[in-house]
Amino acid sequence: MNWINKVTPPGLKTMMSKKDTPDDLWVKCPASGELIYRSDLEQSWYVTPAGAHLRISPRMRFRILFDDERWEPISLPQVPLDPLKFKDDKPYPARLKAARAKVQNRDIKETEEGGAPLLQEDCMVAAYGKIGGVPAVVLVQDFDFMGGSLGMAAGEAFITAAQLALARKSAFVVCTASGGARMQEGTLSLMQMPRTTLAINDLADAKLPYVVILTDPTSGGVSASYAMLGDVHIAEPGAMIAFSGPRVIEQTIRESLPKGFQRSEFLREKGQVDIVVDRRKLKATVARVLGHLLPVSRRRDDRSALQLTPPKTHAPKPPEPKVKPD
């Protein structure tokens, strides 16, 4: 015990004691370097004052898109756990287990105040609801789950969600975020590219809208397949959309790339992206697009009530009990 502790009154010691603060209280803006309160970011859907669009969870995607933040979760099929018995420094099942624990802990934290259920076993999460009154199946790719890598589970999830859109005569909206194919599944992961393409062809034959929302990052086999086959492509500002990274391209062609290369604004100028829209205006934009592509006269499910989760995504906090004055 040092001399300061000896002369400091007990009450002052309590006031001067070190207080525990959450590790994630502040978030650094990648564009400006500014530190921002996480609570402020949550209110702006994780868009910083400088305009940087940070990565968000599937739950937040659903909250942004669906009317009244209500949806019906979609159960996705199970696939063989480790078909190739792949092992690097860790067995593949161990990596899957760690990824599932990570997203489950995130979802527990996001639903501390209540929330509608999600069904997630891999990088894909699907739900059914309405966007601006238009029935839609929404499939979200979760980059936090092994980089959103495309494997058998993701391919089956895509096909299942597309088939549900066909069955309900609704729109199909996919939010992409991926580093590419999942190497632990080898050729089986690459086979998902043509399989998802066939599912998109079925939607086109039924004249149902397929809208892709490109988020940061969308690359590899995902950008080479279903991410670029939409009827309309909407991208978030500053999102990286590519097949291979800029460093690989520069080393291959031995030239410097243009400023903003492979970003959503650059691709819009070149005609590869239709719309670049701020996340806070995303729902209105998607609703307007779907309203044109699927007018009221073609919405079969509008004639019957949707079986959506009754509570809103975040239930209001119960009132605090009043304390009677002494």
Side-chain angles (χ1 to χ4, degrees), residues 209-221:
Y210 171 51
V211 175
V212 180
I213 300 173
L214 301 158
T215 74
D216 182 70
T218 297
S219 59

Side-chain angles (χ1 to χ4, degrees), residues 48-320:
T48 70
H53 284 55
L54 306 183
R55 294 168 187 164
I56 58 176
S57 66
R59 176 176 293 278
M60 193 164 289
R61 289 276 173 207
F62 291 152
R63 290 182 61 200
I64 291 172
L65 291 173
F66 284 125
D67 294 349
D68 300 322
E69 300 184 6
R70 298 175 65 181
W71 62 78
E72 174 192 333
I74 297 172
S75 179
L76 301 175
Q78 299 288 328
V79 297
L81 186 63
D82 186 12
L84 302 182
K85 307 299 179 185
F86 190 93
K87 182 179 180 181
D88 46 287
D89 57 334
K90 280 184 183 179
Y92 181 36
R95 291 192 180 277
L96 290 173
K97 183 178 179 180
R100 285 170 184 155
K102 179 181 177 181
V103 297
Q104 286 171 2
N105 290 336
R106 180 194 62 195
D107 197 56
I108 290 172
K109 189 173 182 181
E110 289 184 342
T111 54
E112 288 176 347
E113 300 175 5
L118 290 182
L119 301 175
Q120 181 174 6
E121 291 294 325
D122 206 89
C123 70
M124 292 291 203
V125 190
Y128 177 67
K130 286 191 175 183
I131 303 174
V134 181
V137 174
V138 178
L139 182 68
V140 178
Q141 204 160 4
D142 187 1
F143 192 79
D144 280 348
F145 194 104
M146 297 186 69
S149 49
L150 174 62
M152 291 190 299
E156 288 294 334
F158 188 99
I159 293 168
T160 300
Q163 289 175 344
L164 181 62
L166 281 168
R168 297 192 177 184
K169 303 298 181 184
S170 64
F172 188 34
V173 179
V174 176
C175 303
T176 62
S178 177
R182 188 169 297 178
M183 68 174 189
Q184 290 88 349
E185 296 182 13
T187 306
L188 295 173
S189 66
L190 298 179
M191 289 172 60
Q192 309 312 312
M193 297 169 63
R195 294 184 74 231
T196 55
T197 302
L198 292 174
I200 295 168
N201 289 341
D202 291 340
L203 290 169
D205 291 341
K207 294 181 171 54
L208 292 173
Y210 171 51
V211 175
V212 180
I213 300 173
L214 301 158
T215 74
D216 182 70
T218 297
S219 59
V222 170
S223 65
S225 55
Y226 56 85
M228 287 300 166
L229 295 176
D231 298 317
V232 178
H233 296 96
I234 303 171
E236 291 188 334
M240 193 196 83
I241 305 164
F243 178 72
S244 59
R247 186 184 306 171
V248 175
I249 297 173
E250 285 184 335
Q251 291 175 350
T252 302
I253 67 175
R254 298 182 181 180
E255 292 183 12
S256 297
L257 298 174
K259 185 179 180 181
F261 182 72
Q262 294 182 326
R263 296 292 169 176
S264 52
E265 293 80 2
F266 182 89
L267 296 181
R268 180 184 57 187
E269 293 177 4
K270 302 301 180 182
Q272 197 168 353
V273 169
D274 299 303
I275 307 170
V276 176
V277 63
D278 188 291
R279 184 180 292 161
R280 292 163 290 190
K281 300 177 181 178
L282 181 62
K283 179 182 176 179
T285 302
V286 175
R288 186 168 63 252
V289 169
L290 294 183
H292 289 300
L293 297 178
L294 194 65
V296 177
S297 60
R298 293 180 52 214
R299 299 179 204 165
R300 189 192 69 177
D301 288 339
D302 274 2
R303 299 171 190 155
S304 59
L306 296 180
Q307 299 298 318
L308 301 182
T309 305
K312 287 190 176 183
T313 303
H314 281 251
K317 292 182 180 179
E320 296 182 0

